[in-house]
Amino acid sequence: AQSVTQLGSHVSVSEGALVLLRCNYSSSVPPYLFWYVQYPNQGLQLLLKYTSAATLVKGINGFEAEFKKSETSFHLTKPSAHMSDAAEYFCAVTGRDDKIIFGKGTRLHILP
Amino acid sequence: DAGVIQSPRHEVTEMGQEVTLRCKPISGHNSLFWYRQTMMRGLELLIYFNNNVPIDDSGMPEDRFSAKMPNASFSTLKIQPSEPRDSAVYFCASSRGTNTGELFFGEGSRLTVL
């Protein structure tokens, strides 16, 4: 069975500062891992995904994430936060079926 | 290309009434998912289909909930009878079903049960 844990339901960073959103996973098989973003009153959109190729994955809008098997982590980072990054971010995991399990989400607040 | 289309976008109903939510997946996608989002429980997978066949419905809360996918371009999620605790945003998502995990979400149906 797969699961993800996102540390921190709310994270606040200043505009221009580093964004770090934490995700730890549990999986009985080599996982596929994802980060999705949700803007208000919208569905989720894929930011980036790890599917067992390069461990450092680059996504849209300057985000990237690194898969660390030893730490069972897949943290999301962005070097410099922008006001438009304010949204809710979800980490997700799947095994080798189509069942995708999401974490509870982290709401990112950007301070001017 | 059209994305995943859900209807209605908003539904307000009274306890005990039947609610039907509809979803049209992206053409060519052969997996379809229904999720429920609430503040308390986050995003919960209710059921998913592959090639119109229900694969896993273990997330369906109880017998009041049912989902169907009569063909590749249409799915419904029905709640009968509805209860106030069913109030949530219900999302439909589709994927190519190739284990890539890349889901394409609709904009959701916000259900309020009074």
Side-chain angles (χ1 to χ4, degrees), chain A:
Chain A
Q2 288 78 38
S3 67
V4 290
T5 302
Q6 292 184 240
L7 300 177
S9 57
H10 292 264
V11 170
S12 295
V13 302
S14 298
E15 192 174 17
L18 171 72
V19 175
L20 171 61
L21 304 182
R22 300 178 188 273
C23 172
N24 288 90
Y25 71 90
S26 172
S27 179
S28 54
V29 298
Y32 290 161
L33 292 158
F34 313 86
W35 278 98
Y36 282 79
V37 61
Q38 184 180 30
Y39 298 103
N41 299 315
Q42 295 186 24
L44 282 70
Q45 308 170 34
L46 182 67
L47 263 183
L48 51 79
K49 63 180 178 182
Y50 166 77
T51 56
S52 74
T55 57
L56 182 62
V57 181
K58 294 187 185 300
I60 61 173
N61 301 336
F63 284 93
E64 61 182 38
E66 186 171 9
F67 172 70
K68 292 187 177 181
K69 184 178 179 181
S70 61
E71 299 177 7
T72 61
S73 69
F74 191 57
H75 301 331
L76 181 70
T77 60
K78 181 173 180 178
S80 176
H82 191 274
M83 295 301 290
S84 61
D85 295 328
E88 189 154 18
Y89 292 81
F90 293 86
C91 183
V93 64
T94 183
R96 288 299 181 263
D97 57 16
D98 279 330
K99 188 172 180 177
I100 299 163
I101 304 301
F102 286 85
K104 292 194 180 298
T106 298
R107 186 167 296 278
L108 177 63
H109 305 272
I110 309 297
L111 307 174

